[in-house]
mmCIF file of all heavy atoms in Angstrom:
data_model
loop_
_atom_site.group_PDB
_atom_site.id
_atom_site.type_symbol
_atom_site.label_atom_id
_atom_site.label_comp_id
_atom_site.label_asym_id
_atom_site.label_seq_id
_atom_site.Cartn_x
_atom_site.Cartn_y
_atom_site.Cartn_z
ATOM 1 N N SER A 3 -24.391 32.073 0.080
ATOM 2 C CA SER A 3 -24.284 32.494 1.460
ATOM 3 C C SER A 3 -24.280 34.013 1.541
ATOM 4 O O SER A 3 -23.552 34.686 0.800
ATOM 5 C CB SER A 3 -23.014 31.929 2.058
ATOM 6 O OG SER A 3 -22.806 32.484 3.342
ATOM 7 N N CYS A 6 -20.825 35.810 2.307
ATOM 8 C CA CYS A 6 -19.637 35.232 1.689
ATOM 9 C C CYS A 6 -19.171 36.132 0.549
ATOM 10 O O CYS A 6 -19.929 36.329 -0.407
ATOM 11 C CB CYS A 6 -19.908 33.835 1.194
ATOM 12 S SG CYS A 6 -18.575 33.155 0.176
ATOM 13 N N PHE A 8 -17.022 35.547 -1.864
ATOM 14 C CA PHE A 8 -16.977 34.856 -3.151
ATOM 15 C C PHE A 8 -18.365 34.639 -3.710
ATOM 16 O O PHE A 8 -18.567 34.783 -4.937
ATOM 17 C CB PHE A 8 -16.207 33.529 -3.029
ATOM 18 C CG PHE A 8 -14.694 33.697 -2.932
ATOM 19 C CD1 PHE A 8 -14.090 34.962 -2.916
ATOM 20 C CD2 PHE A 8 -13.867 32.586 -2.841
ATOM 21 C CE1 PHE A 8 -12.715 35.125 -2.824
ATOM 22 C CE2 PHE A 8 -12.477 32.754 -2.782
ATOM 23 C CZ PHE A 8 -11.915 33.992 -2.763
ATOM 24 N N CYS A 9 -19.364 34.350 -2.874
ATOM 25 C CA CYS A 9 -20.761 34.282 -3.375
ATOM 26 C C CYS A 9 -21.181 35.621 -3.961
ATOM 27 O O CYS A 9 -21.855 35.634 -5.026
ATOM 28 C CB CYS A 9 -21.683 33.865 -2.247
ATOM 29 S SG CYS A 9 -21.702 32.109 -1.899
ATOM 30 N N HIS A 48 -22.204 27.509 -2.675
ATOM 31 C CA HIS A 48 -21.429 27.813 -1.478
ATOM 32 C C HIS A 48 -21.103 26.512 -0.707
ATOM 33 O O HIS A 48 -22.000 25.929 -0.074
ATOM 34 C CB HIS A 48 -22.170 28.792 -0.523
ATOM 35 C CG HIS A 48 -21.316 29.177 0.655
ATOM 36 N ND1 HIS A 48 -20.325 30.148 0.622
ATOM 37 C CD2 HIS A 48 -21.260 28.657 1.921
ATOM 38 C CE1 HIS A 48 -19.743 30.210 1.778
ATOM 39 N NE2 HIS A 48 -20.269 29.323 2.611
ATOM 40 N N HIS A 99 -15.164 29.763 1.237
ATOM 41 C CA HIS A 99 -15.940 29.261 0.099
ATOM 42 C C HIS A 99 -14.894 28.485 -0.675
ATOM 43 O O HIS A 99 -13.896 29.084 -1.149
ATOM 44 C CB HIS A 99 -16.532 30.454 -0.691
ATOM 45 C CG HIS A 99 -17.293 30.062 -1.934
ATOM 46 N ND1 HIS A 99 -18.601 30.472 -2.142
ATOM 47 C CD2 HIS A 99 -16.954 29.294 -3.007
ATOM 48 C CE1 HIS A 99 -19.027 29.995 -3.296
ATOM 49 N NE2 HIS A 99 -18.042 29.293 -3.846
HETATM 50 ZN ZN1 ZN B 202 -19.794 31.448 -0.808
#
Side-chain angles (χ1 to χ4, degrees):
S3 170
C6 170
F8 284 1
C9 280
H48 184 81
H99 179 126

